[in-house]
Amino acid sequence: EEKILKNIEKCGEDGGVNNLIPCAMLGRGALIKPWLPTEIKERRDWDISATERLDMLKDFTKFGLEQWGSDQQGVNRTRR
């Protein structure tokens, strides 16, 4: 576990091949669990409530619509 945490902390530092896999896996995990970087930083499991999860989804939706617009193309892009 310590080795994994050290690799994740180095993500993107040198841009080398050795850091690509942990960085990619962190990115994939963060798509499913947006609070994953906080768990890693604080080195704890964070079991968030359904309300907190819904609030994160609302924020994501709001940011997506602000970024890509609220027209049909922007809505479709936010949904992806």
Side-chain angles (χ1 to χ4, degrees):
E1 184 177 306
E2 282 298 314
K3 184 178 179 183
I4 293 170
L5 288 173
K6 286 180 185 177
N7 283 337
I8 289 173
E9 288 171 354
K10 289 191 234 177
C11 267
E13 279 183 5
D14 66 1
V17 175
N18 294 334
N19 286 336
L20 290 179
I21 293 173
C23 295
M25 295 307 294
L26 176 62
R28 290 181 61 138
L31 290 173
I32 304 290
K33 287 175 70 175
W35 55 92
L36 185 61
T38 303
E39 284 185 348
I40 293 168
K41 182 179 177 184
E42 297 177 3
R43 296 181 183 231
R44 68 179 177 102
D45 287 330
W46 188 19
D47 188 24
I48 66 172
S49 68
T51 304
E52 289 173 306
R53 289 175 192 229
L54 186 58
D55 288 341
M56 285 184 182
L57 184 59
K58 286 177 184 176
D59 287 342
F60 173 80
T61 304
K62 181 181 79 171
F63 297 145
L65 294 176
E66 286 175 3
Q67 177 67 30
W68 294 301
S70 58
D71 60 348
Q72 189 60 46
Q73 185 176 4
V75 170
N76 291 342
R77 201 164 184 160
T78 301
R79 287 181 178 167
R80 281 195 277 162

